[in-house]
Each structure stands twice: as structure tokens, then as C-alpha cells.
Amino acid sequence: MPLSDDSRRLLELSLGELGLPLPSSQQLEQLSRLYDLLLEANTRTNLTAITDERGFVLKHLVDSLTCELSQLLEGQQRVIDVGTGAGFPGLPLKIVKPALDMTLLEATRKKVEYLDQASQALGLKNIRTLWGRAEEQAHRPELREVFDRALVRAVGTTATVAELCLPFVRVGGYLLVQKGPEVEAELGPANKAIRALGGKLVEIIKLRLPGIGDQRKLLVIEKNTETPPRYPRRPGVPAKHPLF
Ligand code: SAM
């Protein structure tokens, strides 16, 4: 089922409220088709608990697109979405910024299969999936410190995701971490971890998700020196024993 006219209007109003650009009519069609593809695949594979149209528009599409508030996603940058799940935030961002070179990294094979099918059905170019764990993939020379941007939503605490993501980012690049209102409580240890991994928290962008009112915080972390080769540690360790 594609998105109704009401849901398309809700999407446009919400993006307008946040000061974000409106998708072209072709992009709107693709975002609508994404809902269809996700719902269909969700009957076979457990991809998301958010299946109602309004929830999809606000919590998946609009929330993903708030990464644009950083004004750091431009041109043909190489971007990696770590622990993308059903493709959030990477897929909606790729749809509205088609020039981005997008890599979707996900540990669960069934989700990767869905992401491949969806990317193909949407006719997206310069997008690929990577099946595996960040702890292992980030040690592959062809993936290490080569991405201009990394994105991450709902994969762990800030210290954990910093260890999983910063090794992918080139020096001079940025990691965007999507968090909820309580993030400040994590920031003491997280700041130390970020520094140990070669990064620096440079900005926290605060926003409210239109229609829902939930507060979100987008952490902008700059990569300023190389990540020591021992990071990330073995699979599971960054989550079980966060740095600091
Ligand atoms: N980012 C998506 C979102 O916000 O909708 C998915 C969030 S879901 C809660 C977390 C996802 O991260 C899961 O699909 C899980 O398989 C994946 N994941 C967790 N740890 C990972 C790791 N170390 N490497 C790769 N993927 C991971």
C-alpha cells in the first residue's frame, strides 16, 4: 500500500516545519514505494514494529531526514549507515540526496536481503549493502577511514556507537549520531571514548519531531586524528564493555 495523500501532506508539512527541503515528486513516489516495500517484506521478516502510516512518516522518514539539519550531507560524499536495520536513516537520505554514495551496514542477513531488494526496486544507484558486524568490517583496509560521513541510529550508547563507527570515518570527516533527549547523561564517558577514538563532539543539534513532539538530539562528531588500530574491539565488546 503506497502512502495516502494525507500522509504525503504530513511528510511535507513536517519537513517544512523543520526547515528541511521538500522532496521532488519523483522522490515522494520513491518514499511512498518504500512504505509499500517495507510493509510487504515485514510480513515475512521482522524488520520494524512501526507499521502504521503516520508512524512510518514521522518516526522513520522525517526522523531519518533530520540528519540533513547538520548540513553535512552534500554532493557525492561516501556515507556509511552503521546498523541500518530496515534502512534508517540511510535509505530515505539516499532517496532525497541521490548523489550520495551510500553503504548500508547491517549484521542480520535477512535485513540485508530486504535492503538489496528495496534498493533495486526503487532504482537507486551508488548504494550497496554490507552484511556483517561493524567490529569486523571496520578492520578491512578498504573500509577503514575511507568514509566522509557515518550515520547511526538506535544501535547503542554513544560510547559504543563511537567505537563502532569512527574507525570507518576518514580524518576530516564526521559521524552523526541520532539520539533521544537523555543523551547528556551518557556524555561524560562518551566524550572520553570519542577522544580516544580520534574524534571530537563539536555540536548537539536539538529538535522536536513534528506531530509527535518527542525531543531528539543529533550529535555531530568530527574525526580529527586516526583511530588507533586496536579499535573497534572484538564483536560484542564495545557494547558489553564500553570504553570508559
Ligand atoms: N538504525 C535502524 C533504525 O534506527 O531503525 C535500526 C536500529 S535496530 C534497533 C539496530 C540494528 O543494528 C539491528 O538491525 C542490528 O542487527 C544492527 N546492529 C547492531 N549491532 C551491530 C553491529 N555491531 N554491526 C552491524 N550491525 C549491528
Side-chain angles (χ1 to χ4, degrees):
M1 189 177 61
L3 288 178
S4 64
D5 287 349
D6 278 354
S7 293
R8 291 171 192 230
R9 255 193 308 278
L10 176 66
L11 174 63
E12 290 183 328
L13 279 173
S14 305
L15 295 176
E17 202 175 313
L18 288 163
L20 290 174
L22 300 187
S24 68
S25 55
Q26 189 203 344
Q27 291 164 358
L28 207 50
E29 278 312 311
Q30 287 174 306
L31 294 169
S32 169
R33 178 106 168 80
L34 182 62
Y35 180 55
D36 204 18
L37 291 163
L38 182 62
L39 276 193
E40 207 271 321
N42 212 38
T43 60
R44 286 174 272 112
T45 308
N46 186 15
L47 293 166
T48 180
I50 301 168
T51 54
D52 66 294
E53 253 182 87
R54 185 181 164 81
F56 173 79
V57 167
L58 296 173
K59 294 185 185 162
H60 279 332
L61 295 185
V62 176
D63 194 45
S64 293
L65 297 177
T66 61
C67 289
E68 288 187 278
L69 290 171
S70 66
Q71 302 194 333
L72 285 169
L73 296 167
E74 292 305 330
Q76 301 174 1
Q77 287 164 341
R78 280 188 81 177
V79 182
I80 185 166
D81 180 7
V82 177
T84 187
F88 304 110
L91 261 185
L93 285 165
K94 171 65 189 172
I95 290 171
V96 302
K97 296 207 162 262
L100 292 177
D101 183 302
M102 181 66 72
T103 297
L104 303 173
L105 169 61
E106 171 51 48
T108 305
R109 189 173 189 160
K110 291 250 177 236
K111 294 182 183 176
V112 170
E113 285 167 6
Y114 158 73
L115 293 168
D116 283 333
Q117 286 159 9
S119 307
Q120 205 182 3
L122 294 167
L124 300 176
K125 305 275 178 277
N126 295 326
I127 183 165
R128 69 207 59 74
T129 54
L130 205 53
W131 173 41
R133 294 201 54 121
E135 293 93 325
E136 291 168 334
Q137 299 295 319
H139 288 287
R140 289 172 57 187
E142 67 273 28
L143 297 174
R144 193 166 180 93
E145 305 201 310
V146 299
F147 290 91
D148 300 300
R149 309 286 182 254
L151 314 170
V152 65
R153 183 181 90 157
V155 175
T157 65
T158 305
T160 298
V161 298
E163 185 170 351
L164 296 179
C165 299
L166 275 172
F168 288 109
V169 181
R170 68 168 170 82
V171 173
Y174 290 87
L175 163 63
L176 302 177
V177 185
Q178 292 192 265
K179 294 298 267 182
E182 310 300 340
V183 69
E184 268 86 0
E186 296 174 14
L187 288 185
N191 266 317
K192 288 188 199 157
I194 290 166
R195 273 197 295 276
L197 293 156
K200 185 178 183 219
L201 176 63
V202 290
E203 194 181 357
I204 302 179
I205 298 171
K206 297 181 182 138
L207 63 123
R208 279 196 186 276
L209 211 50
I212 293 179
D214 290 1
Q215 206 182 25
R216 295 281 193 269
K217 294 186 180 166
L218 179 63
L219 310 187
V220 181
I221 298 170
E222 188 180 6
K223 175 87 174 255
N224 42 30
T225 54
E226 278 181 25
T227 301
R230 63 182 176 281
Y231 301 123
R233 293 166 293 163
R234 282 178 293 111
V237 178
K240 214 180 272 173
H241 303 289
L243 292 170
F244 302 99

